Amino acid sequence: MPAAPATRPEAEPEGAQRLRGRLMQHSLRKLLDRVRGAREVLPHLAALEGSLGKRGVAVIDEIAKPTLVKICSQLSNLPLPPDDAALKDLLKRLLDALEGQPEQPMFRSTFHSDSRMMVSEITPSAFDAAQLEQATTRPGLLEL
C-alpha cells in the first residue's frame, strides 16, 4: 500500500503561535538558568529565547540556515528534561525548519575566473607606507 503524501499542517492562528512561543521561552529560560553563564556561552539560544517571547514560534521560520545549525547544535548538547514537552516541541520545530531549508552553495560569490589570485606578505614598513599613501590621498573631482 503506498504511503500517503506528506501534507503540511495548517498554519496556527497568531495568538496560538505566540502562546506556544511563550511556553517554549519559559522552558528554555529554565534550562539556561540552570547553568551560570549559559547565555554568554550559548548566545544563539539566548537570542532565540528573547525572540520566542516577542514573536512566537513564527520566528523559527525566519532564521537563516547557518544560525539554525548553531541553535540546533547548542540545544541538542544540553541535557533536556524528559518531561518538558515545550522543549521537545522547540527542538522538533527547529529540526523541521532546518530540514525544510534548501541547501546553500558552498561559495557565496558567483564570481568565477580562470586566473588565480596571488597572496604574498609584505614588510611592516611597506604596509605603513601604503597606509600613509592611502591616508594622504584625496579624492579628486571628475571633470566632464
Side-chain angles (χ1 to χ4, degrees), residues 18-35 38-39 42 45-46 48-50 52-53 57 75 78-91 94:
R18 285 186 186 267
L19 177 62
R20 180 168 273 154
R22 286 188 187 123
L23 290 171
M24 290 176 180
Q25 178 193 32
H26 177 71
S27 291
L28 187 56
R29 179 180 298 133
K30 285 190 331 187
L31 182 66
L32 293 175
D33 284 345
R34 284 192 204 163
V35 181
R39 286 175 183 80
L42 306 169
L45 280 180
L48 178 63
E49 176 191 4
L52 283 170
V57 294
L75 188 58
L78 292 176
L80 300 180
D83 59 340
D84 196 332
L87 280 177
K88 288 181 181 179
D89 186 25
L90 174 61
L91 183 58
L94 289 168

Side-chain angles (χ1 to χ4, degrees), residues 69-132:
V69 169
K70 291 176 184 177
I71 290 172
C72 289
S73 173
Q74 289 177 357
L75 188 58
S76 297
N77 288 321
L78 292 176
L80 300 180
D83 59 340
D84 196 332
L87 280 177
K88 288 181 181 179
D89 186 25
L90 174 61
L91 183 58
K92 181 184 180 320
R93 283 179 180 261
L94 289 168
L95 292 172
D96 287 347
L98 183 62
E99 187 177 292
Q101 288 198 358
E103 282 295 316
Q104 293 181 341
M106 291 182 67
F107 304 104
R108 295 180 186 248
S109 173
T110 58
F111 175 76
H112 297 287
S113 173
D114 291 334
S115 64
R116 297 180 185 254
M117 177 174 36
M118 299 296 292
V119 177
S120 61
E121 293 189 21
I122 61 172
T123 63
S125 58
F127 178 78
D128 291 339
Q131 261 189 325
L132 181 62

